[in-house]
Amino acid sequence: MTAEPGRGQSRKPGDGEPSAVAPVRLRRLNRWLVEGLREDLAALYVESRATAPGDPYRRPSRQNFLNRLTADMRRPGFAMVIAETDSLMGCAFGFPVRGDGSWWLGFDGALPRSIEQLTVSGNVFAFADILIRPHPQDRELAHRVQERLLTDHQASLGAALVDRADRPTLAALRSWGWLDIGELRRPAGATTFRALVFPLGERTTARLEGLVTMPGGGGPSGV
């Protein structure tokens, strides 16, 4: 999972970046169209993965991203939404979470009941990655892309797993309305993830009212 918090800085016209007021179009891609954009998506990944000076965390390489994208494209229900002006501004992609609960395998503690119920009913969509090119309206754009992907799949809850060491991405998702519900570690994996969810709509938000983001190492305060 890759994302960056909004910088909030302004850029002058002609500096190589699109204007902050340029209209942004959202477009859903099928697998065939994604194949044709692989290099552009890889470039977007590289640009959005910049690590602040002094941050010890280094995100996976460009090739690692392409390998993961190829694997995710084979999953049933894979979908991608891109944001574009005259260039690619962002994207989000993923796949539906199976109702058997296997997505949450390795969750530390009891999975909140509301999330378990939404999973069983097939209303959860897993975000494999969210890539947003840094610009003054990146947070608004991230919201639009996330909500479009969920709406297209008639899902009411987004789910994401983020490396616990990837603090910039965790900060970005939390600022975009994602709730951190605890830690997860796959039985055969070495990486510890933070599990986050993004509710769509007032009804789902109300169901998750007892979940409180814990920026440190804790889990939710309720279920």
Side-chain angles (χ1 to χ4, degrees), residues 16-28:
E17 294 289 343
S19 167
V21 296
V24 177
R25 304 177 300 275
L26 299 186
R27 181 160 61 103
R28 181 167 171 181

Side-chain angles (χ1 to χ4, degrees), residues 19-212:
S19 167
V21 296
V24 177
R25 304 177 300 275
L26 299 186
R27 181 160 61 103
R28 181 167 171 181
L29 305 184
N30 57 30
R31 288 181 174 88
W32 182 79
L33 291 173
V34 173
E35 281 288 354
L37 277 179
R38 282 173 61 88
E39 291 305 312
D40 290 336
L41 291 167
L44 177 65
Y45 173 77
V46 170
E47 184 170 353
S48 65
R49 73 189 289 268
T51 303
D55 191 334
Y57 180 75
R58 292 296 180 267
R59 295 199 179 97
S61 68
R62 176 183 182 279
Q63 188 58 51
N64 180 276
F65 165 76
L66 288 173
N67 293 343
R68 289 190 296 107
L69 176 61
T70 298
D72 288 334
M73 288 171 62
R74 299 191 182 110
R75 294 177 180 268
F78 170 85
M80 176 182 288
V81 169
I82 65 170
E84 57 187 351
T85 53
D86 55 346
S87 61
L88 187 61
M89 297 298 296
C91 78
F93 61 90
F95 44 87
V97 170
R98 293 170 53 181
D100 61 6
S102 57
W103 168 262
W104 303 108
L105 184 64
F107 187 82
D108 184 14
L111 185 68
R113 190 176 302 108
S114 54
I115 294 176
E116 182 179 11
Q117 292 170 344
L118 287 167
T119 301
V120 171
S121 62
N123 288 316
V124 182
F125 188 88
F127 282 73
D129 234 328
I130 304 170
L131 308 174
I132 302 295
R133 175 169 290 154
H135 66 102
Q137 295 178 338
D138 50 10
R139 292 186 182 183
E140 177 184 346
L141 183 56
H143 271 282
R144 290 180 58 194
V145 171
Q146 293 166 180
E147 292 176 358
R148 171 67 181 273
L149 199 52
L150 290 175
T151 299
D152 282 357
H153 274 267
Q154 298 183 328
S156 55
L157 188 72
L161 299 180
V162 181
D163 187 334
R164 182 176 61 179
D166 189 355
R167 296 184 180 276
T169 294
L170 289 170
L173 292 181
R174 289 164 179 157
S175 73
W176 296 342
W178 288 75
L179 301 175
D180 188 326
I181 64 170
E183 287 193 345
L184 182 150
R185 185 169 181 173
R186 300 300 188 200
T191 302
T192 299
F193 298 98
R194 297 303 301 181
L196 297 96
V197 295
F198 179 80
L200 180 66
E202 294 181 1
R203 185 175 180 180
T204 303
T205 301
R207 292 183 68 174
L208 303 183
E209 188 175 356
L211 302 182
V212 178

